[in-house]
Amino acid sequence: MSAPVKVAVVGASGYSGAELLRLLLRHPNAELVAVTSRSLAGKALSKQFPRFRGVGVADSLTFTAPDAADLKEAGAEIAFLALPHGVSAEYAIPLLKLGLKVIDLSADFRLRSPVLYEEFYGHAHPAPELLNEAVYALPEVRGDAIQAARLIACPGCYPTSILLPLIPLLKAGLLAEAPISVSSMSGATGAGRKESIPLLFCEVQNSVRSYSVPSHRHLSEIGQELALAAGRDEVKLTFVPHLVPTYAGICTTTFAQLKPGATVADVRTALHAAYDHQPFVRLLGENQSPDTKNVTGTNFIDIGWAFDARAGQLILMSTEDNIGKGASGQAVQNMNLICGFEPTAGLLNI
Amino acid sequence: MSAPVKVAVVGASGYSGAELLRLLLRHPNAELVAVTSRSLAGKALSKQFPRFRGVGVADSLTFTAPDAADLKEAGAEIAFLALPHGVSAEYAIPLLKLGLKVIDLSADFRLRSPVLYEEFYGHAHPAPELLNEAVYALPEVRGDAIQAARLIACPGCYPTSILLPLIPLLKAGLLAEAPISVSSMSGATGAGRKESIPLLFCEVQNSVRSYSVPSHRHLSEIGQELALAAGRDEVKLTFVPHLVPTYAGICTTTFAQLKPGATVADVRTALHAAYDHQPFVRLLGENQSPDTKNVTGTNFIDIGWAFDARAGQLILMSTEDNIGKGASGQAVQNMNLICGFEPTAGLLNI
Amino acid sequence: MSAPVKVAVVGASGYSGAELLRLLLRHPNAELVAVTSRSLAGKALSKQFPRFRGVGVADSLTFTAPDAADLKEAGAEIAFLALPHGVSAEYAIPLLKLGLKVIDLSADFRLRSPVLYEEFYGHAHPAPELLNEAVYALPEVRGDAIQAARLIACPGCYPTSILLPLIPLLKAGLLAEAPISVSSMSGATGAGRKESIPLLFCEVQNSVRSYSVPSHRHLSEIGQELALAAGRDEVKLTFVPHLVPTYAGICTTTFAQLKPGATVADVRTALHAAYDHQPFVRLLGENQSPDTKNVTGTNFIDIGWAFDARAGQLILMSTEDNIGKGASGQAVQNMNLICGFEPTAGLLNI
Amino acid sequence: MSAPVKVAVVGASGYSGAELLRLLLRHPNAELVAVTSRSLAGKALSKQFPRFRGVGVADSLTFTAPDAADLKEAGAEIAFLALPHGVSAEYAIPLLKLGLKVIDLSADFRLRSPVLYEEFYGHAHPAPELLNEAVYALPEVRGDAIQAARLIACPGCYPTSILLPLIPLLKAGLLAEAPISVSSMSGATGAGRKESIPLLFCEVQNSVRSYSVPSHRHLSEIGQELALAAGRDEVKLTFVPHLVPTYAGICTTTFAQLKPGATVADVRTALHAAYDHQPFVRLLGENQSPDTKNVTGTNFIDIGWAFDARAGQLILMSTEDNIGKGASGQAVQNMNLICGFEPTAGLLNI
């Protein structure tokens, strides 16, 4: 077996960061050589995350302040950025210059257009020159480009659950141009680990609520990728996310109209053609509802579909772990691709 | 103050039945004179429901086997039926004959058409001659008919949350004929109180999942009422319910297309015209998401709306308690109407 | 019926404050004339608490900055203080001077000894001259004193659940002097409504943990009251609280040793003698475990007991709502006593 | 690396069985060759447990009816029994005769005394001749005996959490003879996967309640092992378990009295001496509360302790996963010992 790749995690105090550490601490081909966090500098990993105590380097590795040169000196070949939107870009630049590959979990490099970025994120893009180079890294869609990339933009959690069922259907030309409607439900890790009264246990446990209606930021990357898949200027889509009282897991239900002549059998064919050889996409079949409890803690996305003959509408149903396949699992899946590891390495724990 | 109305509850072992008892035990104008349950006969109310111990007649009233003549003899003027679908009808007939008014919480009298009933419920309707007399009892829509009725069909939980936002818009002719898409999330009381592995705590608490896709039974009454409101033969609608890990509460998100020329301002106007004088409909305004935690345990339905200008779609958002406004609260609201009580009597606890 | 008492709530942004508002908005004998909160001044009650929208004065009453003269001018006869420990005392003084009665939910007036207060709360008591006047207001234990008081110290949530089962046994001389051990589990409202990462949904929902071991502040008032009941200088007691993932509810399990000669029948007799005529104490019997779900949202405390013959130990089990009987419900119960209202007025909702 | 051991799981429809499969499907040194369940015979593993779809043999292996000869023929060298109490014994006998080693997760072989078994389990022991041979398999306490055993009795979930903190203290003679009090809280997987109304989501999610007071069956094995550790005929202990609304995890709080002269420093020394070289016991230190969320899904037990100087009592606090270290994780840990594998093989996933 070849030597493991040396990796660093920049900004690991949140839920995606912790999930990334969880996966990397036990990855058979990766060695975690540095973890940074301005606020936690000097603290051992397992002091911050008592769950990791006694596992791998969790007791011996301490957080350091983030500094590109230090990461290079620690031997890191790949840096994962688990930072807030707008912050990632400034860390990516020096790391790339020093020759590291960068796998970014934020939204900073997901859009091709700096104009669209500014519209949805409210400020000018800090490194527009990198947008063309970055790869919007859905491994099942863009595997070749990922293998060759040095700057990886991991898709958002909602977008992953929405795009994977829709892209094969749009590529196959099965959907009409009527607006698509998407209702997603996410566990609370999706809202982040921050001091916030609306995210308290007592505010969430008895609550189901939509939010960011009608313009969640993820609409921008969803629209970009759907248009690319459809070969059209635009694919109209309405997206309503909901917060539900679970730790993790996204359940997405999508309503779309088939083109005249297209059938649910065509849907089945297109999905199987796209995903039968993909280890992390599990196609459940017609009228089969996926369940978040079967995917949380994993890198799987489960997909079912149904046709409502009365109303003439297609229903797509997908579940994934928002911090797994929707974030950190997918980031590790991308690392496996970049490094030529077994695609499932470190990702089959259930 | 006039004498209280004497009421009986037939079949009170489930969650809707318990909620009904909770409301009736404390209702200022109702006297609970009988509670029936074949399996619980002889047991005191508060023995079965320890939460009610020490409150009103809960310690003194015991369950009896269900018998129409006994209820009549106990003085009951109104009987609430909290029975499974298909069973209610056979109990309603003798009660009506004996002169009681019947408020049924099951689906047995919700449909006008025995053919549609058979299609969705899988067996011939046991009392088709009563279908024309029964009133589909949304108090905000059909108040006059309810006051005059002796057989009340309380709407289903999902239908209530879907119909109340849509009916004023269809009546006002604001919606295009494109299929409407509805995604609803319900707490687990909606699935009933029965021995069932999929409803165990360990199967639900970490789970978000759709079910009954694509043909939930509630589609039948939703379709009937929307067509009536629209004055059309049919209103196309796709409905996907989800089970989420809360005790109670429904959150419904509806996607629809406005007719050319109609605006979100018209939506606002139509909703306010319909509900400004209704004590249990709370209109939250544009881009305001309702939250189930504000309505559970109450008889309120909260409604918000938004217009997605990019995709050109209207979004309606509503929350209610599935066993409150979606079942037992609404049943008591109907009783208040029938008896001429204050509309909010016994229903403003928060 | 006599005129309702006019009440004010000082500091109502937390969970106990909201529960107090919930009870007072619907109390048949109370009129809520003022609600204060420095941070919420100018906001309508129902804007802050959307659950209350459309109920009583919730839409018309707005928060004001806390000022004793203003409360007096608004006509308030009783002021409830739902403030942090250490802050209540300074508000109590001017209110008492203006002739209002004060019902304090904080710990500020629970201890007789300013020395003990300083030991447990870390600062000198701000109004030690009031400590002798204040009544530690367990209505079932000290009803007469409460009726005559103008300064009420509502007991803590844990202490209420611990004291009510133990006091009759200590008074009857049934317990040995061996240390008593208490394990309590509380829902998360007990920890308050504050921006705090350890109280986030994602940190609580999958977590059971003890805290403040071995010296929770509530030990001070528990010790004071047990010693009084026993007529001894000291009653030794070890107390370990746990945070469990529920919104509300305390479950307390107490281990004690009977005096030689005392039996579990004596325990039963003492408890029944103390509480048979108390409307909010429900004695479940021997080997009967109470359940928090039967008391949340109510003012009841449910008590069971058992004798472990193998180990020779008595087990006491009690459940209550930490913000109900453990805080705001008890505060309203005290108001009913002070005002001579029906003891259960406004408190029998289930 | 040596060939993997071939294992079978008998009775895998419950939560412990599923956890066992989860661990064995990914164990680097084990090959799952058979899984039995009378009710599921013929069904693929991943059909019953959709979470396992696409992982290892989960899609290819099907349940078979339980038959000792079949398991032998399938090549199984070790059989795990995840069966109800009373059923395991009859399966163990033929398996042992055929030369398999048996790791039993039930209570059938935990007690040395058939009399005690009958007292607590209500029927005569089905194979009393095996009781002396079976090893009560706490790996940290009885490692040598486990390595040599062919019949392993895995300890109960509560007992593991209670015994591991207490045994070193009893062995070191640090505890007085006063009765020990134990309060444990368990997640709902501990109650099993069975059709039961009290275990429904709606009955558990808002509930904290004790049960089986005062004589839970686990008292028998706890008493046996404590007496052995103390070298006394009996160690008095009162045990109260509680059901709390989590999927998994046990939090145990133990109250004990130190012998005159013994100190909390002695406690620390004894615990470190016993566990510093044990990979799955994590000692958190004095006044440190463990949290179930750090151990669920793992094989770790976290232990903290405190001394309440006021009452003169020692507090021990421990957390583990009831189906991990408390059942299936410990079973695999025992397999590792028996087979001479790395002690942590397959057990360090976090």
Side-chain angles (χ1 to χ4, degrees), chain B residues 194-225:
Chain B
K194 55 192 177 214
E195 294 177 344
S196 157
I197 284 182
L199 298 180
L200 293 181
F201 178 82
C202 293
E203 304 295 316
V204 171
Q205 66 94 28
N206 50 356
S207 161
V208 182
R209 56 190 195 247
S210 55
Y211 65 97
S212 294
V213 178
S215 299
H216 190 281
R217 285 171 166 184
H218 282 172
L219 265 174
S220 54
E221 61 186 280
I222 295 166
Q224 165 183 289
E225 296 298 312

Side-chain angles (χ1 to χ4, degrees), chain D residues 56-260:
Chain D
V57 298
D59 295 329
S60 56
L61 199 63
T62 57
F63 287 94
T64 57
D67 178 273
D70 288 353
L71 298 188
K72 176 73 180 174
E73 201 182 302
E77 300 161 81
I78 293 183
F80 291 89
L81 307 185
L83 293 163
H85 306 315
V87 178
S88 267
E90 61 176 283
Y91 281 91
I93 298 170
L95 289 165
L96 290 167
K97 278 194 188 138
L98 288 168
L100 280 81
K101 294 185 177 177
V102 169
I103 299 179
D104 181 23
L105 281 80
S106 86
D108 279 6
F109 298 105
R110 293 182 193 153
L111 301 180
R112 294 288 72 77
S113 156
V115 175
L116 192 64
Y117 182 91
E118 191 164 349
E119 179 189 346
F120 273 87
Y121 289 89
H123 57 90
H125 195 281
E129 68 282 7
L130 289 173
L131 291 183
N132 273 328
E133 180 184 353
V135 176
Y136 187 84
L138 274 176
E140 290 80 8
V141 173
R142 213 162 272 143
D144 292 345
I146 293 166
Q147 284 183 335
R150 57 170 202 148
L151 176 53
I152 288 292
C154 291
C157 53
Y158 288 123
T160 298
S161 74
I162 296 167
L163 293 171
L164 285 174
L166 278 174
I167 284 175
L169 311 189
L170 286 167
K171 283 190 175 167
L174 298 177
L175 300 186
E177 294 204 10
I180 296 169
S181 300
V182 179
S183 167
S184 289
M185 297 123 240
S186 174
T189 44
R193 190 166 188 268
K194 56 191 177 213
E195 294 177 343
S196 157
I197 284 182
L199 299 180
L200 293 181
F201 178 82
C202 292
E203 303 296 317
V204 171
Q205 66 92 29
N206 49 354
S207 161
V208 181
R209 56 189 195 249
S210 55
Y211 64 97
S212 294
V213 179
S215 298
H216 191 281
R217 287 172 166 182
H218 281 172
L219 265 174
S220 53
E221 60 185 278
I222 296 166
Q224 167 184 286
E225 296 298 313
L226 291 183
L228 279 172
R232 302 206 302 253
D233 279 356
E234 185 191 36
V235 172
K236 288 187 173 170
L237 182 142
T238 300
F239 168 53
V240 177
H242 303 78
L243 183 65
V244 294
T246 58
Y247 181 83
I250 280 181
C251 176
T252 285
T253 298
T254 298
F255 305 83
Q257 291 180 39
L258 290 175
K259 244 186 205 158

